[in-house]
Amino acid sequence: MVASAALPRIQRKCAGDVMRIPELPYNMSPNKMEIVQMRGINWSDNLRDGDLRDSLNLSARRWPYITTRKGRVKQTAYQNVTALTAWDKLVAVQGTSLLYDGRVVGTVTAGKKQFAVVNTKMVIWPDKVYLDITSRSVKPLAASLTGSKATFTKNKMTVAGWTNLTTKFKAGDGITISGCTTKTENNKDIVIKSVTATEITVADNTFTEATEASTAIKLERKIPDLDFICESENRLWGCDNTTQTIYASALGDPTNFFVYEGVSTDSYALAVGTDGQFTGCCKLSSSVLFWKETKLHKMLGGYPAEYAMYTYEMEGLQSGCHKSQQVINDTLFYKGPHGVYAYSGGTPALISENFGEKEFTDAVGGNDGDSYYLSVKDGAAYRLMVYETKTGIWVLEDDTEAVDFARIGKTLYMLDGDGNVRLLDSADTPQTQPWMLQFAPMYETLNGKKAYSKIMIRMELPQGSYTIAKVRCDGKPWQECGRVVGRDFNVSTMRLSANRCDKFELRLEGSGPCTILGITREFIVGSDVK
């Protein structure tokens, strides 16, 4: 048998027919694969070229390339902070002090908080206080006053020897009167029409005429015990797991939850009959969402007489993850029991298929208007990840625990588990910042051992940065196979080689700014036998 370029095939006559025998090549042409789109973290079994199994300090802001994240700047004015939010300026809890723009404006209890802004009041929960942005002072939501002498007429209550009533109450307050013994029917809930230092005026025929003396009469403006709060349409909303009740404050007034006069500015309450505990609430467009792990209660309407609740069986908000809720471009991102979801009014869409079987807890979210930052607990460790909403790519930054995020315009701040406040993505990548990425195993989707003749990595590596490449073949130990140091020119090329194997894994690590532009690999497929 002869094979040459001049004889493309050998022919053999048999019973008048011509049999064609396949050409026997004298050489084997290499296969070529190229990664032109870098992808994010993928811990599932559904892998594609460019997926990452692990990463450190990376960002997808330059997609289709993968690059190092920018630096974080520690805000030295804040130390040992336990809660953080923003209202034009940073608002922080430092010990028992409440700081606005770095200055102490009041006292609260130490620890984690929930915040919601209604009108000119930032409500701080579970303290049941608010920061008045006009006076830069902290005031209680609830109020109470006790005295012993009072005279009741049909529409007035006049007191003697009491503290000035106007220091505690105002017109429009819904209060509860208790302690009357002469006429117990005057122990009731009322709405104040007007108030002076010694007199409260209410609607006609509210009281039974009486004179009370030497008794402890109490006036109280109550605030319900809410587990979760949010703001929507200039009202403070919340839910109470003990009574399974949803509450809304009076319009523009988070100090009043029990004003019922049949007008559009009334407060509102609704008991819920579904099983399970509330896990969080938030505003989405013109609706208010109250979550359980397997249900959603959606409140619609503009005022109490119009309010209507709709209940849906769906993947809800995971317990302990109420701070994962973030709205970006009218889409709510949140952590459910089975992953991270995007919800814009229909069926929640799972956006964390790449997480595989990993189960995360204690999720805390933030956003800069484009990217969704998510801190989760993975067993005993923490992971800080970023989801790029435009490309659908997840990137793992590091093991930082985030307690709170605060956004001012496009600027995003993070409170970490050590009590430090950091400005995210605000500075160039430091030369000392380490980074790492490990690509998913490369099988080439072909059977047989592959002999890699060339692996080319193109990257932007400025002067002062460096990259080390490591390869692992068929699960054997990692071996360093190349390194490159940044020079004056913008693009560097690293050429590597790998042993004959069924699969190989590539890990790049280094320090300083770096952008991976693409990877090309050439290989020849042989048999399964070494």
Side-chain angles (χ1 to χ4, degrees):
M1 183 178 293
V2 179
S4 69
L7 299 174
R9 59 179 178 268
I10 299 176
Q11 297 181 347
R12 178 182 175 187
K13 292 184 179 180
C14 180
D17 294 329
V18 176
M19 177 181 290
R20 296 184 177 181
I21 298 180
E23 177 181 335
L24 299 179
Y26 65 90
N27 64 347
M28 298 179 67
S29 300
N31 297 277
K32 183 177 180 179
M33 299 290 289
E34 184 174 6
I35 299 177
V36 294
Q37 289 187 356
M38 301 295 131
R39 303 185 186 276
I41 282 292
N42 191 343
W43 292 306
S44 74
D45 294 327
N46 184 22
L47 298 173
R48 295 179 294 177
D49 252 11
D51 284 341
L52 304 181
R53 277 306 208 193
D54 198 5
S55 68
L56 173 67
N57 289 331
L58 295 185
S59 171
R61 68 180 184 276
R62 290 190 59 188
W63 190 85
Y65 309 137
I66 200 82
T67 188
T68 48
R69 70 165 175 83
K70 293 185 177 181
R72 302 170 185 164
V73 179
K74 183 177 179 180
Q75 306 301 291
T76 57
Y78 301 91
Q79 296 179 359
N80 301 318
V81 174
T82 58
L84 183 73
T85 188
W87 190 11
D88 293 331
K89 306 290 184 180
L90 285 181
V91 180
V93 176
Q94 188 168 280
T96 58
S97 297
L98 183 70
L99 278 64
Y100 179 83
D101 196 21
R103 297 182 179 181
V104 178
V105 293
T107 301
V108 295
T109 60
K112 298 181 179 181
K113 308 295 177 189
Q114 296 181 58
F115 301 93
V117 176
V118 179
N119 209 337
T120 60
K121 301 176 177 64
M122 172 178 280
V123 177
I124 304 167
W125 211 264
D127 297 55
K128 295 185 180 181
V129 299
Y130 67 90
L131 168 62
D132 189 322
I133 195 62
T134 304
S135 62
R136 299 286 202 280
S137 59
V138 175
K139 302 176 182 179
L141 290 170
S144 65
L145 204 58
T146 303
S148 60
K149 295 181 180 180
T151 301
F152 292 88
T153 61
K154 294 292 185 180
N155 68 335
K156 290 183 180 179
M157 174 185 178
T158 305
V159 301
W162 288 48
T163 301
N164 186 334
L165 296 176
T166 61
T167 62
K168 295 288 186 177
F169 306 109
K170 64 184 184 301
D173 280 354
I175 65 173
T176 299
I177 301 176
S178 62
C180 295
T181 57
T182 301
K183 293 293 183 178
T184 57
E185 54 264 47
N186 287 331
N187 295 322
K188 59 173 56 179
D189 296 330
I190 65 168
V191 178
I192 298 174
K193 296 298 183 182
S194 64
V195 59
T196 67
T198 60
E199 188 175 81
I200 290 176
T201 302
V202 296
D204 291 339
N205 300 317
T206 297
F207 296 127
T208 300
E209 294 184 353
T211 298
E212 299 283 348
S214 301
T215 60
I217 302 172
K218 185 177 183 180
L219 309 180
E220 184 178 14
R221 187 178 68 233
K222 298 179 180 179
I223 302 296
D225 296 322
L226 305 176
D227 292 284
F228 305 101
I229 63 169
C230 69
E231 180 278 337
S232 178
E233 305 302 319
N234 207 22
R235 298 177 189 265
L236 181 67
W237 290 79
C239 51
D240 178 11
N241 272 319
T242 302
T243 61
Q244 286 288 292
T245 303
I246 293 172
Y247 291 94
S249 73
L251 182 67
D253 186 2
T255 65
N256 275 291
F257 280 85
F258 300 98
V259 176
Y260 306 113
E261 294 188 295
V263 295
S264 62
T265 58
D266 277 355
S267 49
Y268 178 79
L270 176 68
V272 175
T274 57
D275 60 327
Q277 298 287 293
F278 288 110
T279 55
C281 63
C282 73
K283 173 184 178 179
L284 180 63
S285 190
S286 59
S287 63
V288 190
L289 310 181
F290 292 90
W291 293 100
K292 296 185 175 183
E293 285 203 334
T294 59
K295 295 175 181 65
L296 169 63
H297 298 292
K298 179 186 289 189
M299 296 296 304
L300 297 174
Y303 52 91
E306 193 183 58
Y307 287 150
M309 184 185 76
Y310 299 87
T311 301
Y312 303 90
E313 295 282 342
M314 62 170 60
E315 181 76 0
L317 179 68
Q318 184 176 351
S319 177
C321 298
H322 59 280
K323 288 189 176 182
S324 69
Q325 300 174 98
Q326 293 292 313
V327 177
I328 304 175
N329 295 326
D330 217 25
T331 297
L332 173 67
F333 296 86
Y334 69 94
K335 174 66 174 69
H338 297 95
V340 183
Y341 291 82
Y343 174 76
S344 56
T347 301
L350 181 67
I351 61 171
S352 60
E353 300 94 334
N354 290 0
F355 291 177
E357 296 182 354
K358 286 187 174 292
E359 296 184 359
F360 297 134
T361 60
D362 301 297
V364 176
N367 81 88
D368 59 6
D370 187 19
S371 303
Y372 175 50
Y373 286 74
L374 187 67
S375 168
V376 294
K377 193 172 184 181
D378 183 9
Y382 287 91
R383 297 178 182 270
L384 178 60
M385 299 179 290
V386 182
Y387 179 75
E388 298 296 339
T389 60
K390 293 180 180 178
T391 59
I393 290 178
W394 285 96
V395 176
L396 175 63
E397 286 204 351
D398 57 17
D399 58 358
T400 298
E401 174 194 2
V403 176
D404 276 321
F405 290 90
R407 177 186 169 191
I408 302 176
K410 295 181 180 179
T411 304
L412 185 64
Y413 295 85
M414 176 184 67
L415 169 61
D416 65 27
D418 296 324
N420 300 311
V421 177
R422 300 183 185 277
L423 178 58
L424 301 181
D425 284 345
S426 62
D428 293 336
T429 302
Q431 291 287 351
T432 57
Q433 178 175 290
W435 60 270
M436 180 272 293
L437 63 88
Q438 179 181 325
F439 286 99
M442 299 179 188
Y443 294 90
E444 317 303 352
T445 65
L446 296 170
N447 293 325
K449 301 290 183 180
K450 275 76 69 174
Y452 289 89
S453 58
K454 185 194 307 181
I455 303 172
M456 303 289 290
I457 304 173
R458 295 181 65 251
M459 65 185 77
E460 290 180 1
L461 197 66
Q463 189 171 10
S465 300
Y466 71 86
T467 299
I468 298 174
K470 295 182 179 181
V471 169
R472 178 166 64 182
C473 296
D474 294 335
K476 294 179 181 179
W478 289 98
Q479 291 185 340
E480 182 178 330
C481 58
R483 63 173 58 200
V484 61
V485 177
R487 302 186 185 280
D488 293 335
F489 47 84
N490 291 329
V491 178
S492 299
T493 301
M494 179 184 290
R495 179 166 180 167
L496 312 174
S497 62
N499 296 328
R500 185 167 176 259
C501 57
D502 177 52
K503 69 172 182 179
F504 86 96
E505 298 168 82
L506 175 64
R507 176 188 289 174
L508 303 177
E509 55 190 48
S511 178
C514 180
T515 301
I516 308 301
L517 304 177
I519 299 177
T520 303
R521 55 194 190 273
E522 294 183 358
F523 58 93
I524 298 174
V525 181
S527 67
D528 290 333
V529 181
K530 288 188 176 180

